[in-house]
Every structure is written in structure tokens, then in C-alpha cells.
Amino acid sequence: MRRSAADRLRRLRRLLTWLFTGLNAAGLIVFAWLAVQADTQQREVRLDGRTSRVTAAVTRLVKEGDEVVTGLVGQDPVGDQCPQFVVLPVGAGRFADFTSTRTCVPMDPAKLRAWATQAVRSEAVLNGYGSGTGGELVRIGAEPFRNTAGQYAGAVVVVADARGAETDHDRLVLFVAGGCVLLVAVLAVAGHVLSGRAIRPATAALEQQETLLAETAHDLRTPVAALRALAETALRNPAERADLLPRTVRLAGRMGSIIDGLLVRARLAAGVESLAIQPVWLDQLVTGVVDETPKEDAQVTVTAAPTKVLADPALVQRAIGNLLDNAMRHGRRPGSEAIVHITVAGGRVTVADHGPGIDAAVAEETFDRFTSGAGSSGLGLSIVRWVAQAHSGVLRVYNAEEGGAIFELSLPEA
């Protein structure tokens, strides 16, 4: 199934939102993983620092000889504090086991002896995680020491309680995970908004294109049909209807004017062209439009005072022509000619007719596309309002007390 341009734009917006959110979410996940790994390493460094301080203090007190281990180590305060430790004979050692006075985490002696044996065999300091008899998480550090003969005689095994550090680490993980979820949600909303702003010019251009097509098709339908009818009539009666040629020329000119106006409006709305703002004598411009407009069974009078405005003369001329055309077409009562009076003063053009007037309930709708004061379709008044808005002006409509509609176009004075 073929997708419409609007559907493709909506799909593009969703794609941009997912792309923006996905890329940022991937970056957040990597950052979170690095943060968790860094905290894990820092936790191990802190725990190993605690065990290494104890092993360093105990190995300085340990000497191979009679009563030396129990005598010096037992007298030092390190045996009454946490982390707890044991001094175990391994290899050439012939002394009795020594266990610190304070028990911070109950441990299986066999596991501690295995750590001491492994440290002596590897001739290096060992660090790692273990568990107490109740399943408590502990960090174990084992450091071998030598006797006076240079032989490995035993090892100091230190046990540090890691439950507090594990709790802090789990809290950090939850905080990072929750923060990532929240940030991803915020990024999704921000991505949706930013993608909407990114495709807004394309959406506006699409709307302008659709509006231009609709207005062109609608406003050209009537003159094209009339032109075709005239051509068919002239074809059937080539010698008898000589008056059809001038009418055909007028219709062709009207079609050209409509197309020109719509294209200018579309180009200005799209930003391809800019308004040619300059000082304009509004009274002279209005008088010129009235003089050049065919007035077939219509009386048009003008009362003008010198007034200068800042405007694009071509667009304002078109707007005045549309107001005059609307008044002559719809500002009359059945069976009578149109009577139109135009007043120019103070940067305002007022076009008053003697027609049936405008229903106040639908006065604002009069300026919409394809509607007019008499309820027929057209673009004249909508173009007038667009010209007013483009010049930071105002177009108003109201009814006169004696009857008839009054349109007032206000433009900024020079």
C-alpha cells in the first residue's frame, strides 16, 4: 500500500525519535557499566587496603623462635580490632596457630588454612572474596612470611567483612540503573520533541503544497469551465458569436491573474521570496485599482485622504482588488445594481456595500478558504487576510447600521 506524504513524515519522526533515544541510551549504558566497574574496583582496593594494613603490622611482629609469635602479636592492639586475622604455620613453620582476639565474622578454619597454604606455595600475597560460616561475604588477604633462615614458615590470613561495601555497591547499581531508565525516558520525550521540530519545515512545506494545490484547483475550476463553454459555443457558431472572443480573453486574463496570485503567495509563504516593503501612497494605489476595474452594473465611489503606508504595492493592490471584486459580486440586493463606497484614510481602506450584510455568527469564517460573504466559494477574502497578516496589519468585517457589509483593511503607516 502506498503511503501518503504525511504518513511518511510521521514515520520519519518516529524513526528519528528511536534513533536519538537509542544512541543516547547506548551511551548511557556504557557509562553506567563503566561506573559500576569503577566502583567495584574501588571497593576491592579499599578492602585490600584494610587487609594489607593488618598483614603488614602482623608480619613485622612475627619472628620464628620460642614464644615470639604469641608474645608480640598478642600484646599488640591489632589483635583486638577488625579485620580479624590468623597466623598459621605452613612449610618450615613449627609454631602454634594464633588467632586474633576479636571475631568479626565466623570463619571455617580449614578455609583459612587453605588460603595460607596457597599463599606460601605461590610465594605471593593473595587477595579474593570468600564466605563466612553463615554465608557472609568477606574479603580475604593472605601474605606469607619467612623465618630467620629464609624459609617460608607460615602466612598471615586476614578476613575483612565486605557486607557493608557490598550494600553500598548494590545501592550504587540501583541508583545508576534507575537514573539511566529516567534519563532514557527524558531523552525519548526530548527526541520526540526535537524530531518534531526537525521535520516541522518539511511539514509546513507539505501543508503549503497541499494548500496551493487545493486553492489552485478550486479557484480555477469556475473560469476553466466557463472558458471551455465559451470555446465550445464559438466552435459551434464561428461566424455568429463574435462577442465570445473578448469574453474568452477576459477569462484567460482572470485565470492568469489567479495563477500569478497563488504562486506569489506560495513562494512568499515558503520563504523563497520576501515582501518588497516600501513607502506607498495608499490613496493613489486604491484610486488606480478602482479606475482599472471593470464595473459592470456597479456604482463605485472613492473618498480618499493622502495616507502613506509601508507595504508591498503589488500584494496590497491585489488585496484591494479582491475586496472590490467581492463587494461588487456579493454586495447587492436581488434585482439591483451594486453600490460600493471606498474610504481611504489613516492607513485604512474601508470597503462598504449595500448588500444583505454578513451574519455575525459566521463573520470570522468569511476569511477562510473557499467561503465568501454570500456563502459562495472563493479565495479572495482569504488572500486579503493573508496580505494583512503578512504586513502585520488587520482585516475586519462588520455590518453597517443601514445595511450592507463593511470590510476594513488596516496597514502600518509610514
Side-chain angles (χ1 to χ4, degrees):
M1 187 176 81
R2 186 175 180 180
R3 294 178 179 269
S4 66
D7 291 336
R8 291 196 296 270
L9 283 177
R10 284 191 290 268
R11 185 180 180 183
L12 175 62
R13 183 178 186 183
R14 289 193 296 269
L15 178 61
L16 291 175
T17 300
W18 281 110
L19 183 62
F20 178 82
T21 306
L23 291 176
N24 284 278
L28 284 174
I29 291 174
V30 172
F31 172 77
W33 182 81
L34 292 176
V36 171
Q37 291 299 314
D39 184 73
T40 300
Q41 294 176 1
Q42 289 296 323
R43 176 183 61 169
E44 294 177 355
V45 169
R46 290 192 298 269
L47 292 172
D48 291 343
R50 293 172 59 187
T51 59
S52 63
R53 285 193 296 269
V54 176
T55 55
V58 174
T59 52
R60 285 196 301 268
L61 299 173
V62 172
K63 301 293 182 182
E64 178 64 18
D66 296 338
E67 304 297 334
V68 172
V69 172
T70 57
L72 295 179
V73 179
Q75 296 173 8
D76 195 272
V78 70
D80 299 328
Q81 302 172 359
C82 288
Q84 66 197 56
F85 65 91
V86 294
V87 183
L88 300 175
V90 181
R94 297 294 182 268
F95 56 88
D97 299 352
F98 179 84
T99 303
S100 59
T101 305
R102 187 172 181 179
T103 301
C104 304
V105 181
M107 294 295 300
D108 184 358
K111 292 183 178 180
L112 299 180
R113 188 168 296 279
W115 276 88
T117 302
Q118 184 65 28
V120 171
R121 288 178 179 176
S122 61
E123 300 181 359
V125 178
L126 301 181
N127 292 288
Y129 287 104
S131 59
T133 56
E136 302 90 347
L137 180 66
V138 294
R139 184 72 175 180
I140 300 175
E143 181 176 343
F145 59 87
R146 302 173 186 267
N147 56 20
T148 54
Q151 301 172 324
Y152 281 103
V156 179
V157 182
V158 182
V159 178
D161 190 353
R163 288 175 293 182
E166 181 186 26
T167 301
D168 294 339
H169 179 72
D170 293 342
R171 186 180 298 112
L172 175 67
V173 171
L174 290 176
F175 176 78
V176 171
C180 286
V181 172
L182 179 61
L183 285 176
V184 168
V186 173
L187 287 172
V189 175
H192 186 70
V193 174
L194 291 176
S195 61
R197 296 188 64 179
I199 67 173
R200 187 175 300 168
T203 304
L206 178 62
E207 291 177 352
Q208 291 170 5
Q209 180 184 17
E210 293 177 347
T211 300
L212 177 62
L213 291 175
E215 292 180 351
T216 303
H218 188 281
D219 217 32
L220 289 178
R221 185 178 294 114
T222 299
V224 167
L227 186 62
R228 180 177 180 178
L230 287 175
E232 291 176 349
T233 303
L235 184 62
R236 289 193 298 266
N237 305 281
E240 300 177 5
R241 298 298 304 272
D243 61 315
L244 295 180
L245 185 58
R247 293 172 60 185
T248 303
V249 172
R250 287 197 298 270
L251 274 176
R254 180 183 173 190
M255 291 172 59
S257 177
I258 291 173
I259 294 173
D260 181 62
L262 291 174
L263 290 178
V264 169
R265 172 179 175 180
R267 291 174 66 85
L268 287 172
V272 179
E273 294 182 358
S274 58
L275 296 177
I277 300 296
Q278 57 185 285
V280 177
W281 287 103
L282 187 59
D283 55 308
Q284 297 177 9
L285 186 146
V286 172
T287 303
V289 172
V290 173
D291 293 339
E292 295 173 2
T293 301
K295 305 177 181 59
E296 308 169 351
D297 66 350
Q299 296 182 16
V300 181
T301 58
V302 179
T303 302
T307 177
K308 184 182 290 186
V309 296
L310 291 174
D312 185 317
L315 291 180
V316 174
Q317 185 176 17
R318 186 175 301 277
I320 300 302
N322 288 353
L323 286 176
L324 178 57
D325 181 72
N326 179 78
M328 291 191 301
R329 286 175 177 270
H330 310 296
R332 66 176 69 198
R333 297 187 182 276
S336 61
E337 64 179 1
I339 301 176
V340 181
H341 184 69
I342 301 177
T343 304
V344 184
R348 294 190 302 274
V349 179
T350 303
V351 180
D353 60 52
H354 288 252
I358 295 179
D359 186 356
V362 296
E364 184 63 24
E365 298 178 1
T366 303
F367 301 142
D368 292 338
R369 286 189 302 133
F370 311 147
T371 62
S372 65
S376 62
S377 298
L379 292 169
L381 296 182
S382 69
I383 292 179
V384 176
R385 181 173 65 172
W386 178 83
V387 171
Q389 293 173 346
H391 289 83
S392 300
V394 180
L395 176 63
R396 302 183 182 91
V397 58
Y398 48 91
N399 291 321
E401 295 182 358
E402 62 275 12
I406 299 178
F407 290 86
E408 183 181 282
L409 174 61
S410 300
L411 298 172
E413 293 188 77

